[in-house]
């Protein structure tokens, strides 16, 4: 597997306990076709979560794809595993080359407009391992991506504007030490598709408490 070299557009951030690599314009000329294909071709669904004794609608649409056995759940939601589509498999191959890391699954999220969001959380479920590599591809409307340390109040929040075609790689202890979120926006925005590629561990390799951070 050949790792994509850094170039002038790439940004590397290394706040305490994290490593972030942002590849601006990664999708290049394919970005428009990828977005159109994903919007029209994926079986988008809207889940519900139980919080504080109430059933709440998740403020975005989603779909989960991966290899057999790549079972995944969060916030009490057991994601329905679907086989790779040809488009997703092709995108995965390109992302794997850039990350220098293999992925057996992807969570697709559709933010329909500025009212859709994801609250503070970390992708730290046991099935992802202790230091997962998460590759996050943004397609469509630009959105603000925020990170804050889980415990250290002296560290400033990190704000990144992710644009059409950008790829963000989160590595090392990022998920163990930091939270991230995509806040709501009042401005009228078009749809945004976010693909987060992961490696889900087999059941025999999973350790620790099965914690679930509320989204």
């Amino acid at each position: 597997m050949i790792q994509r070299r850094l170039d002038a557009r790439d940004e590397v951030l290394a706040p305490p306990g994290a490593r972030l690599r942002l590849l601006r314009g990664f999708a290049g000329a394919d970005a428009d076709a990828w977005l159109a294909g994903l919007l029209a071709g994926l079986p988008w669904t809207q889940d519900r979560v139980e919080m504080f004794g109430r059933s709440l609608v998740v403020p975005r649409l989603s779909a989960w794809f991966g290899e057999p056995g790549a079972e995944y759940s969060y916030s009490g939601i057991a994601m329905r595993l679907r086989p790779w589509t040809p488009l997703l498999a092709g995108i995965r191959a390109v992302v794997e080359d850039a990350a220098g890391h293999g992925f057996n699954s992807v969570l697709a999220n559709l933010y329909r407009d500025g009212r859709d969001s994801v609250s503070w959380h970390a992708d730290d479920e046991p099935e992802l391992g202790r230091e997962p590599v998460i590759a996050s591809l943004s397609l469509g409307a630009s959105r603000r991506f925020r990170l804050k340390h889980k415990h250290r109040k002296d560290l400033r929040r990190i704000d990144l504007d992710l644009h059409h075609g950008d790829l963000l790689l989160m590595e090392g202890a990022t998920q163990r030490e930091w939270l991230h979120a995509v806040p709501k926006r009042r401005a009228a925005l078009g749809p945004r598709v976010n693909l987060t590629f992961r490696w889900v561990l087999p059941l025999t390799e999973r350790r620790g408490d099965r914690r679930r951070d509320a989204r």
Side-chain angles (χ1 to χ4, degrees), residues 40-143:
L42 298 190
W44 299 105
T45 60
Q46 188 166 28
D47 295 309
R48 303 185 72 92
V49 294
E50 298 295 329
M51 293 183 64
F52 311 113
R54 295 189 300 163
S55 178
L56 303 177
V57 175
V58 174
R60 61 192 176 279
L61 307 184
S62 62
W64 176 252
F65 301 85
E67 306 294 339
E71 305 295 340
Y72 181 68
S73 61
Y74 70 91
S75 297
I77 301 173
M79 302 298 296
R80 177 184 175 184
L81 180 63
R82 301 176 185 272
W84 293 97
T85 69
L87 176 57
L88 284 173
I91 297 174
R92 173 178 65 162
V94 178
V95 170
E96 286 180 333
D97 281 347
H101 188 84
F103 302 106
N104 63 2
S105 53
V106 64
L107 176 61
N109 280 311
L110 171 56
Y111 299 81
R112 295 161 292 182
D113 53 36
R115 293 170 294 181
D116 280 352
S117 64
V118 60
S119 59
W120 290 109
H121 70 283
D123 298 322
D124 59 356
E125 290 80 12
E127 52 263 51
L128 299 180
R130 182 169 175 80
E131 293 193 350
V133 175
I134 306 291
S136 176
L137 177 64
S138 296
L139 297 166
S142 299
R143 293 294 295 263

